[in-house]
Amino acid sequence: MTGPPGGARVGVVGGSRSDFPVLEDAVAVLAELGVEAELRVVSAHRTPDHLFRYAEEAAGRGLRVLIAGAGGAAHLPGMLAAKTLLPVIGVPIPTQHLGGLDSLLSIVQMPRGIPVATVAIGNATNAGLLAAAILAVGDDGLASRLADWRSRQTAAVLDDPSNAAG
């Protein structure tokens, strides 16, 4: 999951290991597209200095996009965005009491000037695909792999037995 130092292009972080089952979907789709990612615990509330270092050093380590999953108060994506110029994609983590709506609202309501792209609750796959699309702007090989991935998605729908002519 975590590649050699300097090899990852996407940093995927969660506030705790309990976020990993959701965030692993981003890592998996990125791996399928040939994009190396690292998966780390970086807590906005328990380790703010570590969060600041991670954000400030990310570009220098070769990361180009950050994906941050957070539940509840969900400050991690916004705090990362405040400390780096890299694109940040927020993944609201489903929560026990509000189903992740609290996470979604916390992430999507960033103040003007500090953007965080936000995907649907629990949808780290789309976060990985968005990160790949951002990287593909400057990477023709990745753009081709992403186009192929999307073509397979289309074919899976069209090839569904329910679409067979009767």
Side-chain angles (χ1 to χ4, degrees), residues 3-165:
R9 293 170 49 190
V10 178
V12 182
V13 297
S16 69
R17 277 197 165 268
S18 64
D19 297 336
F20 282 17
V22 171
L23 296 174
E24 287 168 347
D25 290 345
V27 176
V29 75
L30 288 164
E32 187 178 340
L33 293 167
V35 177
E36 192 169 339
E38 63 182 24
L39 181 58
R40 306 265 177 95
V41 174
V42 179
S43 173
H45 300 110
R46 292 180 295 273
T47 60
D49 294 336
H50 176 56
L51 179 150
F52 286 4
R53 273 191 310 277
Y54 185 88
E56 291 167 348
E57 296 172 359
R61 293 191 307 106
L63 298 177
R64 295 296 170 251
V65 181
L66 302 178
I67 295 172
H75 290 114
L76 181 59
M79 292 299 294
L80 283 171
K83 295 297 286 182
T84 184
L85 295 177
L86 294 176
V88 176
I89 304 165
V91 179
I93 300 294
T95 55
Q96 180 181 359
H97 297 293
L98 297 174
L101 185 58
D102 49 343
S103 312
L104 173 66
L105 294 175
S106 292
I107 296 170
V108 80
Q109 291 295 331
M110 286 299 297
R112 186 170 288 120
I114 308 294
V116 172
T118 309
V119 297
I121 297 168
N123 196 339
T125 298
N126 272 0
L129 291 169
L130 181 55
I134 291 167
L135 293 170
V137 169
D139 182 334
D140 292 340
L142 177 55
S144 178
R145 293 190 302 277
L146 185 57
D148 290 344
W149 191 95
R150 291 188 63 169
S151 291
R152 289 191 303 276
Q153 295 294 299
T154 300
V157 172
L158 296 176
D159 293 344
D160 188 278
S162 68
N163 291 319

